[in-house]
């Protein structure tokens, strides 16, 4: 039986068209998703001139009958959707019937397909069949789209530079490969391999194949569930930060989606771990009952609606936050090239080699060698294993780290038995103060101190109004405050935790921040911002000379912090160099 059905009109109207093939990467997406639907295990994408000259997708899927091959270029033909209801329970990927027809209308397309029975080679140019004959009899499908937009030069104008088109395509293939670790993907441009995954069905290995060793080493596994959702996957620690969201990949029931609220929940979990304008690498699989989601059916969008959004965002933020807190998160002053003790055997086994890309076919050979090497190294290291385990505990519990001295007036050099640490004294102080202020701001118990000399704060009428809107919130924090003439407040008492000698400055900071919240006050956001601003202000500046006892005290307090590794702005506080890494730098060891 032929697998392709022609959809009815109501359904056609529900699917928006037009922009389907605006970009090279839309075309690649369309073709690749068809290959996935055809149950392919290996999908190879070959581009010439970033795809503007030719886009070729070669798969080893089930192929098509001759009739399906003809029909697939029909507008509104699809093998996926039979009735309108199906749209809401989409489990396969290619639900758009129009794309192939649209692509064929603006290009010279060759389709060579074989389903084991019938072999077909069709050439369609500008939408009309030019020729149809027996094809290569290779099971699977090869589709080549040449000279895209050749007959509609106007469309070409919408295309970005070759580089942008290519990088969009690369980013798409990365995402699709991560969402299908069981399929091997490869991508070539002008004959050069850009990326390749092995189809090992192992997400961690696929992450390694795409992002390389350094990123992979800095990924933390997560696993959690609540009544509505199950989440699993990998998230980067503080050693990885990207300048855009491109590497935040979320899959819902196996499908790549981009949802703002989900992204925000993930970013929230990295609050103070990464700077505001930096983003992590995450690959998170979300499983849920399909009735809880509503997939946007527009072909070029990947958005989704969740009917229990908060349940999901809560789960994501909590799980990621905990994973970050519980992992050994110190910044490394070196790029990781060595398999490290922090990984389980299972994870280590999945690491193939030190190169960012595996360029040859001998993946398994390299993999085996690595495993052998690993077992030798592990047995060699058996004695030191306990020390390694303790290292984490030491950093949290009791501090054996001792100061060595202050370098350049800013960086505290410290050491324990095996590791040298460099600590930015301002950043470290900020972290300590931030956590202290957060604690104080969150606490229900408010202790206040009466001021010997009340202060008056004068504002512009606009500022005054904004602060006045939140006056009750200010009082809740422990401030005694009243209006005092035109646009002026009089403060008579303040919460006791304000740093001595900095009371007036702190009060001004807090009032100023209150004013910024205007009509929508958010206590959690306020606390975080207030703690950060006060912490920065009150922390010892760089180039301050501190003595040995102060250094010791700083280390003590820092390592007692919940998350000592970054300042509240997301910059590193501690950079570590294990002895072994230093020995490597000085060529004492290889
Ligand atoms: Zn600062
Ligand atoms: Zn900072």
């Amino acid at each position: 039986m032929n697998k392709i059905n022609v959809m009815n009109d109501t359904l056609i109207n529900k699917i928006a068209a037009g922009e389907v093939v605006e970009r090279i990467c839309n075309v690649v997406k369309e073709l690749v998703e068809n290959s996935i639907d055809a149950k392919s295990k290996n999908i190879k994408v070959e581009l010439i001139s970033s795809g503007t000259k030719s886009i070729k997708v070669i798969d080893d899927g089930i192929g098509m009958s001759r009739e399906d091959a003809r029909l697939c270029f029909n507008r509104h033909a699809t093998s996926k959707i039979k009735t309108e209801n199906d749209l809401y329970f989409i489990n396969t990927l290619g639900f758009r019937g129009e794309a192939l027809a649209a692509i064929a209308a603006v290009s010279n397309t060759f389709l060579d397909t074989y389903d084991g029975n019938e072999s077909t080679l069709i050439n369609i140019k500008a939408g009309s069949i030019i020729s149809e004959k027996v094809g290569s009899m290779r099971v699977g499908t090869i589709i080549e789209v040449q000279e895209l937009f050749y007959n509609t030069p106007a469309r070409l104008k919408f295309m970005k530079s070759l580089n942008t088109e290519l990088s969009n395509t690369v980013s798409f293939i990365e995402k699709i490969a991560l969402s299908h670790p069981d399929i091997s993907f490869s991508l070539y441009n002008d004959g050069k391999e850009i990326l390749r995954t092995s189809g090992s069905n192992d997400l961690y290995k696929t992450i390694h194949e795409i992002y390389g060793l350094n990123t992979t080493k800095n990924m933390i596994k997560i696993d959690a569930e609540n009544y509505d959702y199950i989440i699993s996957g990998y998230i980067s620690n503080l050693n990885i930060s990207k300048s855009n969201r491109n590497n935040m990949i979320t899959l819902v029931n196996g499908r790549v989606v981009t949802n703002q609220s989900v992204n925000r929940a993930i970013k929230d979990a990295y609050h103070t771990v990464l700077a505001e304008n930096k983003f992590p690498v995450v690959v998170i699989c979300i499983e849920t009952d399909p009735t809880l989601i509503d997939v946007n059916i527009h072909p070029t969008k990947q958005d989704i609606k969740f009917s229990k959004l908060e349940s999901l965002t809560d789960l994501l933020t909590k799980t990621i936050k905990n994973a970050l807190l519980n992992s050994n998160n110190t910044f490394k002053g070196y790029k990781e090239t060595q398999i490290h003790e922090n990984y389980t055997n299972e994870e280590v086994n999945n690491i193939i080699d030190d190169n960012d890309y595996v360029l040859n076919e001998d993946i398994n050979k390299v993999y085996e060698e690595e495993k052998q090497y690993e077992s030798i190294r592990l047995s060699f290291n058996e004695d030191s294993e306990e020390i390694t385990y303790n290292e984490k505990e030491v950093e949290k519990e009791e501090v054996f780290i001792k100061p060595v001295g202050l370098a350049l007036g800013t960086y505290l050099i410290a050491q324990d038995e095996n590791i040298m640490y460099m600590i930015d004294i301002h950043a470290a102080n900020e972290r300590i103060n931030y956590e202290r202020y957060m604690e104080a701001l969150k606490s229900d118990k408010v202790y206040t101190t009466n001021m010997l000399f009340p202060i008056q704060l004068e504002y512009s009428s606009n500022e005054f109004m904004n602060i006045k809107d939140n006056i009750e919130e200010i009082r809740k924090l422990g401030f005694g405050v009243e209006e005092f003439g035109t646009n002026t407040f009089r403060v008579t008492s303040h919460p006791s935790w304000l740093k001595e000698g900095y009371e007036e400055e702190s009060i001004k900071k807090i009032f100023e921040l209150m004013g910024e919240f205007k009509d929508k006050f958010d206590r959690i956001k306020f606390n975080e911002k207030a703690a950060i601003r006060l912490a920065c202000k009150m922390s010892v500046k760089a180039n301050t000379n501190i003595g040995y006892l102060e250094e010791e005290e700083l280390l003590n307090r820092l390592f007692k912090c919940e998350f000592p590794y970054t300042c509240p702005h997301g910059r590193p506080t501690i950079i570590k160099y294990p002895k072994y890494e230093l020995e490597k730098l000085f060529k004492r060891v290889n």
Side-chain angles (χ1 to χ4, degrees):
M1 209 190 99
N2 293 317
K3 287 178 279 304
I4 295 196
N5 306 275
V6 177
M7 294 188 283
N8 69 42
D9 282 348
T10 350
L11 192 52
I12 292 162
N13 295 335
K14 286 213 157 186
I15 299 181
E19 304 132 49
V20 187
V21 292
E22 212 176 39
R23 298 259 99 88
I24 296 287
C25 93
N26 299 148
V27 177
V28 173
K29 177 169 185 281
E30 197 51 47
L31 303 180
V32 165
E33 288 181 347
N34 285 336
S35 292
I36 293 170
D37 286 341
K39 304 186 170 64
S40 308
K41 286 285 141 214
N42 293 280
I43 300 173
K44 185 175 181 184
V45 179
E46 293 178 352
L47 308 175
I48 296 176
S49 289
S50 300
T52 53
K53 292 238 155 58
S54 161
I55 303 165
K56 192 174 188 178
V57 175
I58 304 162
D59 74 38
D60 58 354
I62 53 175
M64 284 182 240
S65 69
R66 182 160 296 195
E67 191 174 354
D68 276 354
R70 269 185 224 132
L71 213 57
C72 75
F73 291 107
N74 256 5
R75 224 172 110 81
H76 310 311
T78 175
S79 58
K80 311 304 155 352
I81 304 169
K82 297 191 189 72
T83 72
E84 204 165 322
N85 269 345
D86 285 351
L87 275 179
Y88 299 99
F89 297 95
I90 293 157
N91 282 316
T92 52
L93 295 162
F95 52 89
R96 304 147 303 271
E98 315 193 324
L100 269 184
I103 293 166
V106 293
S107 68
N108 185 18
T109 295
F110 296 85
L111 173 73
D112 183 350
T113 188
Y114 181 48
D115 64 357
N117 258 325
E118 288 173 297
S119 165
T120 311
L121 174 59
I122 292 182
N123 175 210
I124 292 196
K125 199 166 182 182
S128 341
I129 296 188
I130 302 290
S131 69
E132 186 188 311
K133 51 189 174 191
V134 173
S136 66
M137 307 269 278
R138 167 199 168 279
V139 175
T141 300
I142 300 173
I143 187 161
E144 180 169 7
V145 177
Q146 292 178 355
E147 307 295 335
L148 191 66
F149 303 135
Y150 82 101
N151 55 349
T152 54
R155 293 289 279 282
L156 267 177
K157 274 195 286 187
F158 291 106
M159 296 236 271
K160 307 255 168 76
S161 72
L162 288 186
N163 260 338
T164 311
E165 293 294 338
L166 183 60
S167 90
N168 287 342
T169 302
V170 171
S171 146
F172 163 72
I173 298 284
E174 286 176 353
K175 284 182 182 168
I176 202 90
L178 288 164
S179 62
H180 295 275
D182 57 326
I183 300 175
S184 162
F185 290 88
S186 54
L187 172 65
Y188 292 79
N189 185 43
D190 296 332
K192 267 185 15 208
E193 183 179 284
I194 297 175
L195 73 84
R196 170 192 293 274
T197 64
S198 58
S200 59
N201 201 17
D202 181 327
L203 182 57
Y204 193 71
K205 192 165 171 177
T206 311
I207 289 172
H208 174 251
E209 287 159 347
I210 287 172
Y211 291 108
L213 183 68
N214 196 50
T215 301
T216 313
K217 285 298 188 60
N218 287 297
M219 298 297 274
I220 309 165
K221 195 174 194 320
I222 57 162
D223 256 313
E225 63 183 282
N226 62 16
Y227 191 73
D228 306 305
Y229 297 96
I230 302 173
I231 60 172
S232 63
Y234 292 89
I235 60 159
S236 60
N237 67 18
L238 45 60
N239 278 294
I240 304 295
S241 72
K242 303 276 179 186
S243 49
N244 59 50
R245 290 176 185 78
N246 284 348
N247 302 291
M248 293 169 68
I249 297 168
T250 45
L251 310 167
V252 177
N253 293 349
R255 192 189 167 86
V256 176
V257 300
T258 309
N259 178 279
Q260 276 201 6
S261 309
V262 166
N263 275 351
R264 203 176 310 121
I266 296 168
K267 186 70 188 20
D268 277 352
Y270 281 86
H271 179 71
T272 82
V273 175
L274 290 181
E276 276 309 306
N277 58 351
K278 294 291 178 193
F279 302 89
V281 174
V282 308
V283 183
I284 298 177
C285 310
I286 300 164
E287 302 287 332
T288 187
D289 179 343
T291 59
L292 287 184
I293 53 176
D294 184 3
V295 180
N296 184 321
I297 60 167
H298 193 284
T300 60
K301 287 190 190 132
Q302 302 167 308
D303 201 0
I304 195 170
K305 280 203 184 80
F306 298 92
S307 55
K308 290 189 173 174
L309 182 63
E310 216 169 299
S311 159
L312 175 62
T313 51
D314 273 8
L315 181 67
L316 282 168
T317 309
K318 274 185 199 138
T319 306
I320 296 171
K321 227 175 183 158
N322 279 335
L324 288 168
L325 285 178
N326 294 328
S327 69
N328 186 356
N329 265 306
T330 325
F331 279 96
K332 298 171 184 111
Y334 51 94
K335 212 175 167 181
E336 200 133 25
T337 53
Q338 202 67 36
I339 287 173
H340 212 265
E341 294 79 17
N342 289 344
Y343 290 84
T344 65
N345 280 335
E346 189 200 342
E347 284 170 329
V348 166
N349 282 342
N350 291 326
I351 293 171
I352 315 166
D353 75 347
D354 286 0
N355 297 320
D356 275 7
Y357 295 117
V358 179
L359 290 169
N360 55 41
E361 308 287 334
D362 285 338
I363 287 173
N364 286 328
K365 198 174 142 233
V366 184
Y367 182 37
E368 281 310 312
E369 277 170 14
E370 191 72 37
K371 267 207 311 212
Q372 272 179 8
Y373 161 75
E374 190 49 32
S375 59
I376 294 165
R377 215 182 55 82
L378 281 181
S379 58
F380 177 74
N381 261 359
E382 231 153 39
D383 291 349
S384 61
E385 228 177 88
E386 210 167 46
I387 296 166
T388 312
Y389 172 71
N390 280 340
E391 184 196 308
K392 268 191 207 173
E393 304 297 305
V394 167
E395 288 188 358
K396 279 273 175 197
E397 308 294 321
E398 203 181 330
V399 183
F400 293 140
I401 301 169
K402 291 290 166 210
V404 176
L406 195 64
L408 308 174
T410 305
Y411 308 104
L412 174 59
I413 311 294
Q415 64 179 355
D416 62 19
E417 245 176 309
N418 288 307
I419 299 173
M420 182 185 92
Y421 300 86
M422 295 190 290
I423 290 152
D424 178 319
I425 57 169
H426 173 71
N429 241 286
E430 263 186 346
R431 166 55 65 177
I432 294 163
N433 286 331
Y434 169 76
E435 292 199 2
R436 234 185 38 207
Y437 291 132
M438 270 305 265
E439 194 75 6
L441 283 158
K442 269 194 293 196
S443 166
D444 301 328
K445 287 196 199 99
V446 181
Y447 299 97
T448 60
T449 306
N450 288 324
M451 297 167 78
L452 217 48
F453 306 103
I455 56 165
Q456 288 168 27
L457 303 171
E458 202 188 322
Y459 294 96
S460 74
S461 44
N462 187 30
E463 284 167 338
F464 183 80
M465 290 303 291
N466 289 336
I467 296 171
K468 203 180 137 184
D469 279 346
N470 293 322
I471 196 91
E472 278 317 308
E473 295 295 336
I474 295 181
R475 289 194 174 120
K476 273 189 219 159
L477 290 172
F479 289 96
V481 55
E482 61 212 26
E483 285 181 50
F484 194 74
T486 324
N487 298 337
T488 304
F489 294 109
R490 184 168 185 264
V491 185
T492 51
S493 63
H494 64 73
S496 306
W497 52 264
L498 294 190
K499 186 167 167 167
E500 238 182 283
Y502 292 87
E503 291 91 345
E504 191 167 334
E505 222 174 314
S506 306
I507 293 168
K508 281 182 182 158
K509 285 250 163 268
I510 288 172
F511 274 57
E512 193 183 284
L513 182 61
M514 274 295 177
E516 289 171 25
F517 274 84
K518 291 183 188 161
D519 28 47
K520 261 207 334 233
F521 185 76
D522 177 335
R523 183 64 189 256
I524 293 170
K525 290 247 152 68
F526 172 83
N527 285 352
E528 279 170 357
K529 286 198 168 161
I532 291 178
R533 286 196 200 175
L534 292 174
C536 184
K537 205 77 211 149
M538 306 317 149
S539 299
V540 51
K541 296 283 171 296
N543 295 310
T544 310
N545 249 319
I546 57 173
Y548 186 86
L549 287 176
E550 285 163 295
E551 291 171 0
E552 223 179 10
E553 179 68 15
L554 180 76
L555 288 174
N556 254 313
R557 288 204 195 168
L558 179 62
F559 284 102
K560 271 187 195 128
C561 283
E562 189 182 33
F563 197 82
Y565 315 104
T566 56
C567 87
H569 306 95
R571 285 197 295 272
T573 52
I574 310 163
I575 289 180
K576 79 168 175 185
Y577 272 96
K579 192 175 175 189
Y580 180 71
E581 294 295 333
L582 289 170
E583 285 172 339
K584 277 205 301 199
L585 285 175
F586 287 102
K587 312 276 184 227
R588 285 169 171 269
V589 296
N590 296 316

